[in-house]
Amino acid sequence: MEPLSFVDHEKFFDCVHCGLCLASCPTYVELGTEMDSPRGRIVMLRALQEGQAQLNDEVVQHLDLCLGCRACETACPSGVQYGELIEGARPFIEQHYRRPVLERGKRWLMNKTFPNPWGAWLFALSLKVGAALGLARFAHSEAVPATLRYWFGLLPERGSVSSQPLLDHYPAIGEKRRTVAVLSGCVMSAVFGATNQSTVKVLRHNGCEVLIPKAQSCCGALLLHNGEKQTALALAKRNIDVFDQLDLDALIINAAGCGAMMKEYGELFKDDPVYRDKAARLTGKMKDAAEFVGGLELRTPTREVRVKATYHDACHLAHGQGVRDQPRALLRAIPGLRMTNLPESDWCCGSAGTYNLTQPEMAARLLERKVGNIQATEADVVVTGNPGCLMQIQAGLRQSGLPMKAVHTMDLLALAYEDEPGSSH
Ligand code: SF4
Ligand code: SF4
């Protein structure tokens, strides 16, 4: 077979096959098979690149089952950049492997939906219609195929999808300290509009003037994850052009998956003579919302929020961006809030971009494990920083009949600040 060159070959040799990552890999722990471990996948990827293995159904299935959660990177003492290896392989899989027709249709639909503003609004509309029709009740119906049952179970509660758009500009509240822009995001703006409003409110209360340029686009993360690299790069270029021309102290991102991808813009464009400098400059300004606010001298929130909260680390925040302490510190600063530790807090919930749509069986297994851990905390709310985790975990809690709510860090923090005339809330 013709060798495929999809990643710097030297990077494979960082892996010394020690196996110290195995216990951190959700798919290995669930299945116990070497080919579903980071070490096994690295061997497979290297064999593919060297032309020693065929891109057949079995190999693709093992690679598709990888969540891309990067827990293995956190665990690896040799600094293996596993995310780069698997993300490098995804476009080659899409180019060289012919998927079954239904699978191709599903991926085509996802790739057309999310990066397009109208697609994201249609997605939001379908969630609203599904919720209004009460399709979630079929999540337990034996008459419905298992995959559809799982998808119906993901539908949000009626009234919980918020598409409220942001304005172009918000002044700082009190003395101005920073000028920032916010990535409004495709899924965030169509489904989690209220969380975008909360993010703006928290930033304003902490002395930030907030800009929301309307010409921005989807970050490209879901496309890159699905192997559609060229389209993802085109979206990234548009964002670089839009945000780089603003005089910003920071570009704020409140979706962990988007933040992890955007912080890679510098690396993705390092060989592009036109975008290299602009991408590197902008990457240095990118901050997750909790990372940024946690790095400011916090203006003390004054409203009490009397809840017992636990925190779930989104993979792309904890493993992808190394942001773990700041969200917890922000939550502890909320008057009246009590924190309790979540066992396996950085274990993937099964959402993983569009993984819960492409690999529903494994996603459901991981969700069950996550919900069991959340239930053990007896918390009122589980807090996290990624829209996919919010939807996945909320669905799991509802299906298990638990009264707990999944909320974004910015939503809980925003509750602790006073509403002001002319503010976003
Ligand atoms: S990825 Fe890292 S931890 Fe895992 S086997 Fe290779 S060197 Fe060891
Ligand atoms: S990214 Fe996650 S699922 Fe994939 S090999 Fe690493 S730990 Fe396992």
Side-chain angles (χ1 to χ4, degrees):
M1 183 182 171
E2 182 88 355
L4 307 170
S5 180
F6 47 79
V7 75
D8 176 1
H9 201 64
E10 290 300 308
K11 291 193 185 283
F12 289 116
F13 298 102
D14 292 337
C15 179
V16 294
H17 310 290
C18 64
L20 289 173
C21 54
L22 299 190
S24 303
C25 174
T27 56
Y28 177 75
V29 170
E30 287 293 326
L31 301 171
T33 42
E34 178 70 14
M35 301 306 259
D36 293 304
S37 77
R39 183 174 63 185
R41 290 184 177 119
I42 290 168
V43 169
M44 249 183 307
L45 291 169
R46 182 178 158 190
L48 273 177
Q49 176 140 309
E50 291 174 350
Q52 304 296 324
Q54 299 282 339
L55 200 53
N56 56 29
D57 295 353
E58 195 188 347
V59 167
V60 171
Q61 172 63 9
H62 290 301
L63 296 177
D64 280 354
L65 258 185
C66 172
L67 295 143
C69 67
R70 294 165 66 178
C72 46
E73 280 190 26
T74 301
C76 176
S78 301
V80 171
Q81 293 171 298
Y82 177 84
E84 223 175 283
L85 302 180
I86 191 76
E87 292 300 344
R90 301 236 194 250
F92 277 85
I93 295 175
E94 298 318 307
Q95 282 165 20
H96 296 272
Y97 175 73
R98 192 157 177 83
R99 294 183 181 279
V101 65
L102 270 180
E103 184 62 25
R104 264 185 283 146
K106 195 162 68 179
R107 284 171 181 262
W108 179 86
L109 195 60
M110 286 188 296
N111 294 339
K112 291 289 170 215
T113 300
F114 293 112
N116 180 335
W118 287 108
W121 293 108
L122 278 175
F123 173 65
L125 183 66
S126 69
L127 292 181
K128 287 177 189 170
V129 170
L133 293 175
L135 294 182
R137 69 182 182 276
F138 295 115
H140 300 290
S141 168
E142 289 302 320
V144 174
T147 301
L148 267 186
R149 279 208 302 269
Y150 177 73
W151 289 347
F152 284 152
L154 287 177
L155 286 168
E157 281 162 28
R158 190 190 289 221
S160 66
V161 175
S162 153
S163 309
Q164 193 183 347
L166 293 169
L167 304 177
D168 296 359
H169 172 257
Y170 296 86
I173 294 173
E175 188 192 343
K176 181 183 156 185
R177 299 195 286 183
R178 302 279 193 281
T179 303
V180 303
V182 168
L183 177 87
S184 46
C186 54
V187 174
M188 286 305 295
S189 56
V191 181
F192 291 93
T195 301
N196 276 350
Q197 301 281 347
S198 295
T199 305
V200 170
K201 179 181 176 184
V202 168
L203 290 166
R204 295 185 65 206
H205 272 275
N206 280 283
C208 296
E209 178 185 12
V210 184
L211 311 177
I212 321 284
K214 288 289 174 281
Q216 62 177 293
S217 72
C218 160
C219 69
L222 292 176
L223 287 166
L224 193 70
H225 189 68
N226 283 345
E228 297 294 323
K229 190 171 180 179
Q230 290 315 314
T231 320
L233 292 183
L235 292 169
K237 282 181 180 175
R238 184 171 346 150
N239 278 333
I240 292 167
D241 287 335
V242 168
F243 289 112
D244 185 56
Q245 64 181 328
L246 302 174
D247 187 15
L248 299 174
D249 295 307
L251 169 53
I252 309 299
I253 305 148
N254 59 7
C258 306
M261 154 72 174
M262 291 183 79
K263 286 180 178 178
E264 285 175 18
Y265 279 4
E267 178 66 22
L268 284 168
F269 291 103
K270 69 178 191 299
D271 298 323
D272 185 313
V274 177
Y275 280 87
R276 182 178 50 221
D277 294 345
K278 289 198 277 186
R281 194 164 47 232
L282 192 62
T283 300
K285 294 181 180 178
M286 289 174 190
K287 297 280 181 208
D288 172 75
E291 177 188 20
F292 177 76
V293 178
L296 293 173
E297 195 179 324
L298 191 71
R299 288 190 182 158
T300 313
T302 50
R303 270 185 184 166
E304 282 202 341
V305 182
R306 292 201 158 274
V307 290
K308 185 176 175 187
T310 195
Y311 182 77
H312 159 74
D313 288 280
C315 301
H316 285 98
L317 202 48
H319 304 302
Q321 301 180 57
V323 176
R324 294 167 181 266
D325 297 338
Q326 300 94 322
R328 291 177 167 86
L330 291 177
L331 294 175
R332 282 195 205 95
I334 297 176
L337 185 143
R338 288 170 300 139
M339 281 289 282
T340 182
N341 281 338
L342 176 64
E344 297 183 345
S345 66
D346 64 356
W347 198 257
C348 183
C349 65
S351 167
T354 53
Y355 188 91
N356 53 3
L357 302 177
T358 56
Q359 304 290 335
E361 197 183 313
M362 177 58 73
R365 285 170 74 156
L366 296 175
L367 179 57
E368 195 181 334
R369 184 173 177 135
K370 181 60 67 181
V371 168
N373 280 322
I374 293 169
Q375 185 175 13
T377 67
E378 298 183 349
D380 305 310
V381 292
V382 54
V383 188
T384 191
N386 191 49
C389 306
L390 286 169
M391 290 179 76
Q392 172 90 340
I393 291 174
Q394 189 61 67
L397 294 172
R398 194 176 53 244
Q399 285 170 42
S400 301
L402 297 172
M404 302 155 165
K405 294 287 175 210
V407 297
H408 194 284
T409 314
M410 289 296 120
D411 283 324
L412 213 49
L413 189 55
L415 280 180
Y417 285 105
E418 299 292 335
D419 296 335
E420 298 225 351
S423 75
S424 57
H425 271 44

